[in-house]
Amino acid sequence: MPYKSSTQLIVHFKIFPISLTNLNMAFSTPVAVLFIAIFTTHLLLAPSTSDAAITCSDVIKDLKPCINYLKSGSGSPPADCCAGASNLASSTTSTADKQAACTCLKNASKSINVKPELAKSLPGNCGISFPYPLSPTVDCSKIN
């Protein structure tokens, strides 16, 4: 379909192409103003993105060596598990990092069915302190 001017967009609906002229007229209407106001308000009221530097991938990578132990282990956790747990504990220093890691662990623990008592005792068994409890029932939003 040939275009009459270079200002026409290459956007087609099944019936007609949209030109920039038509687009400009559409956005000058009160409906468009209302749409923009609602969209802007939504952006302002939407929850902010997390300031956490740690990702769920980081958390899983650190604690991956612990999965078998947390599912069915007994005794002391493997050394690579404790090394990962120690790394995770030292990399979650901000409140946002602690909450992000907590949420990730909480969700992961539900999908892989870890034993809560093993998760709770992991820091002590590794000789480290964790900045938040390892529990599937913890309220991560209350961690500081």
Side-chain angles (χ1 to χ4, degrees):
M1 169 182 256
Y3 294 105
K4 294 179 183 174
S5 74
S6 62
T7 60
Q8 287 182 323
L9 295 175
I10 307 175
V11 176
H12 291 274
F13 289 95
K14 290 186 179 183
I15 300 172
F16 60 91
I18 296 176
S19 71
L20 288 178
T21 306
N22 292 341
L23 199 56
N24 289 338
M25 287 190 322
F27 280 107
S28 65
T29 66
V31 173
V33 172
L34 179 62
F35 171 76
I36 292 169
I38 291 171
F39 181 73
T40 303
T41 303
H42 173 71
L43 288 176
L44 292 174
L45 296 178
S48 63
T49 57
S50 173
D51 292 332
I54 196 164
T55 66
C56 204
S57 296
D58 296 331
V59 173
I60 299 301
K61 178 181 60 85
D62 283 340
L63 292 185
K64 188 175 181 180
C66 300
I67 292 175
N68 288 335
Y69 172 78
L70 292 172
K71 287 172 69 174
S72 59
S74 61
S76 297
D80 56 345
C81 169
C82 289
S86 178
N87 186 52
L88 179 60
S90 65
S91 63
T92 52
T93 54
S94 72
T95 297
D97 283 338
K98 292 173 191 174
Q99 290 177 346
C102 173
T103 301
C104 179
L105 289 172
K106 184 176 178 178
N107 293 336
S109 71
K110 291 176 184 174
S111 66
I112 60 172
N113 298 318
V114 302
K115 292 183 178 179
E117 65 279 3
L118 290 174
K120 185 178 179 181
S121 64
L122 180 67
N125 288 342
C126 286
I128 60 172
S129 62
F130 238 62
Y132 45 88
L134 296 178
S135 167
T137 59
V138 67
D139 183 352
C140 298
S141 67
K142 294 185 177 178
I143 294 172
N144 293 324

